Amino acid sequence: MTAPSTTPTTDLRRATLADARALDLRGAERDLWADEAALWDRLIATWAGLDDAAWHLPGAAPSDAGGPDWSLAEHIGHIADWQELAADYIPVAIGTGRWPSDDDYDGGDFDRYNERRRAPWTTLSAEAILARLTAARPRVLAAAQHLTPETIRGHEAWGWVYFVLHGHYLDHLAVVEPWTDSLRLRQVDGDPFVADPRAPDHQGFRAQEAEIGAQFDALVRAVPSARWSEDVTPGWTLKDHVGHLADWAAEGVRAIEAFHASGTWLADPDEGIDAWNERHVVAARGESPDAVLARYDEASAAMLAAVETLSIEDLRSADGWSWAQDCLHGHVRKHLAMLGRWCVVADWPGA
């Protein structure tokens, strides 16, 4: 009888990045495909809940070729770019026995090669970049799985297969994890990441609402109802967060009705916003997840209809925009920055 191993297994999804990078992922005992899947999960969790404007903010890392700082969009686009390249060169290598040479890429100057390929990722939307990435990855995996693990670990293939899969994820996680952490804090604080977030008209406002609403649907509605009573932030569950969004959407409707009646906007609650928030959250603790979602949907639709009754001048005024945005997508995007990664991680194996 063989005694069970007591050596702890490093969970690539949850380990510190230093511990993950210290592992020899080339070792014969490693499952290449399980390692790739774990680090892929870790990568895609980094941007969960961040909006498109966050993707295009420069400052993620300096350019290795002396150009402007790279953004999140360019980092993830760069990963997608190399996976698209790999989806083409791996079948050629299998058919010819010749793997690419460094000289094939600007004479081995990969910094210069990557710098001049920053377009189109610089201006593509996050949605478009992720569409390219999620289309390229299965093509690379399908091509690489025609190779034996021994061949992939070999001298020629390792740098070209591992390089565009989990090796590349690890390299970029060193930049992407701390950068997206900082962006998330800024989004929670309401940073719009643009000079003027105000929509020019009602159609633009609806488009902003729809974009953030789609993120809410993809992240929050995907969480099983059994997990809605778990704490996401200290003392607040997912159900509390969604109910809180519904509370403020309903309050926004009241504010617009009061503005039409009196010509002045409501002030903050006399008891203070924190006390108001906590009182409403506690009062709704007995609701089911389905009831909270239904209340959120109803209040959001009512608030969007109320916004339509404002003139563009009133909507874009300081008070009008504060109430309109902060009771709809402006408020939701703050909470998605708090909730997004939790919603994705909730689906990870081995919780």
Side-chain angles (χ1 to χ4, degrees), residues 197-272:
R198 295 175 301 170
D201 51 31
H202 288 101
Q203 182 179 358
F205 187 91
R206 288 193 299 272
Q208 290 177 334
E209 173 70 10
E211 179 183 345
I212 301 303
Q215 283 197 2
F216 178 92
D217 292 346
L219 290 167
V220 176
R221 294 185 199 272
V223 177
S225 58
R227 306 207 64 172
W228 279 56
S229 295
E230 297 178 15
D231 277 8
V232 179
T233 56
W236 278 35
T237 66
L238 181 61
K239 186 157 63 77
D240 293 338
H241 278 272
V242 176
H244 166 78
L245 293 172
D247 292 335
W248 275 103
E251 187 70 358
V253 173
R254 190 172 78 88
I256 291 176
E257 290 174 346
F259 172 73
H260 285 315
S262 68
T264 59
W265 289 97
L266 293 179
D268 290 341
D270 291 339
E271 65 193 290

Side-chain angles (χ1 to χ4, degrees), residues 3-17:
S5 172
T6 57
T7 303
T9 300
T10 301
D11 184 343
L12 291 177
R13 292 177 176 85
R14 298 175 177 84
T16 67
L17 193 56

Side-chain angles (χ1 to χ4, degrees), residues 36-340:
E36 190 278 338
L39 289 171
W40 168 261
D41 284 350
R42 181 172 185 152
L43 177 70
I44 63 174
T46 59
W47 55 73
L50 293 176
D51 61 22
D52 188 79
W55 276 66
H56 295 89
L57 199 70
S63 164
D64 291 329
D69 284 358
W70 284 45
S71 65
L72 174 63
E74 289 163 308
H75 273 277
I76 306 308
H78 166 79
I79 294 173
D81 188 30
W82 273 100
Q83 290 200 349
E84 291 175 347
L85 291 169
D88 293 331
Y89 71 61
I90 291 175
V92 172
I94 291 173
T96 65
R98 177 190 178 276
W99 286 93
S101 163
D102 289 3
D103 291 339
D104 297 333
Y105 301 90
D106 282 10
D109 188 342
F110 286 98
D111 291 340
R112 182 176 66 182
Y113 181 82
N114 293 328
E115 184 72 18
R116 66 181 180 80
R117 293 177 69 88
R118 288 173 68 168
W121 314 109
T122 306
T123 56
L124 281 180
S125 68
E127 182 181 16
I129 292 169
L130 291 178
R132 293 270 294 268
L133 178 63
T134 54
R137 176 176 174 253
R139 290 177 59 215
V140 180
L141 290 173
Q145 285 170 356
H146 287 290
L147 300 162
T148 65
E150 293 74 23
T151 299
I152 294 174
R153 292 188 181 96
H155 174 70
E156 286 191 298
W158 182 254
W160 296 101
V161 177
Y162 170 80
F163 168 78
V164 299
L165 290 171
H166 34 325
H168 217 189
Y169 306 159
L170 271 175
D171 286 345
H172 285 270
L173 280 166
V175 170
V176 170
E177 281 191 339
W179 179 241
T180 52
D181 284 346
S182 69
L183 292 176
R184 188 168 287 108
L185 291 174
R186 290 171 62 176
Q187 189 167 310
V188 168
D189 284 341
D191 188 339
F193 305 123
V194 294
D196 186 355
R198 295 175 301 170
D201 51 31
H202 288 101
Q203 182 179 358
F205 187 91
R206 288 193 299 272
Q208 290 177 334
E209 173 70 10
E211 179 183 345
I212 301 303
Q215 283 197 2
F216 178 92
D217 292 346
L219 290 167
V220 176
R221 294 185 199 272
V223 177
S225 58
R227 306 207 64 172
W228 279 56
S229 295
E230 297 178 15
D231 277 8
V232 179
T233 56
W236 278 35
T237 66
L238 181 61
K239 186 157 63 77
D240 293 338
H241 278 272
V242 176
H244 166 78
L245 293 172
D247 292 335
W248 275 103
E251 187 70 358
V253 173
R254 190 172 78 88
I256 291 176
E257 290 174 346
F259 172 73
H260 285 315
S262 68
T264 59
W265 289 97
L266 293 179
D268 290 341
D270 291 339
E271 65 193 290
I273 290 177
D274 290 343
W276 190 97
N277 289 340
E278 195 65 25
R279 178 168 58 83
H280 280 75
V281 163
V282 169
R285 285 259 159 87
E287 288 183 305
S288 69
D290 286 345
V292 170
L293 262 178
R295 184 161 62 86
Y296 167 81
D297 289 339
E298 181 179 357
S300 298
M303 180 56 182
L304 189 56
V307 168
E308 295 284 346
T309 68
L310 295 171
S311 69
I312 293 301
E313 291 73 18
D314 288 334
L315 173 59
R316 287 172 55 84
S317 69
D319 286 333
W321 186 258
S322 177
W323 275 104
Q325 186 202 36
D326 284 351
C327 290
L328 283 172
H329 54 272
H331 198 191
V332 175
R333 69 185 290 275
K334 293 178 185 179
H335 284 263
L336 285 178
M338 302 180 216
L339 304 172

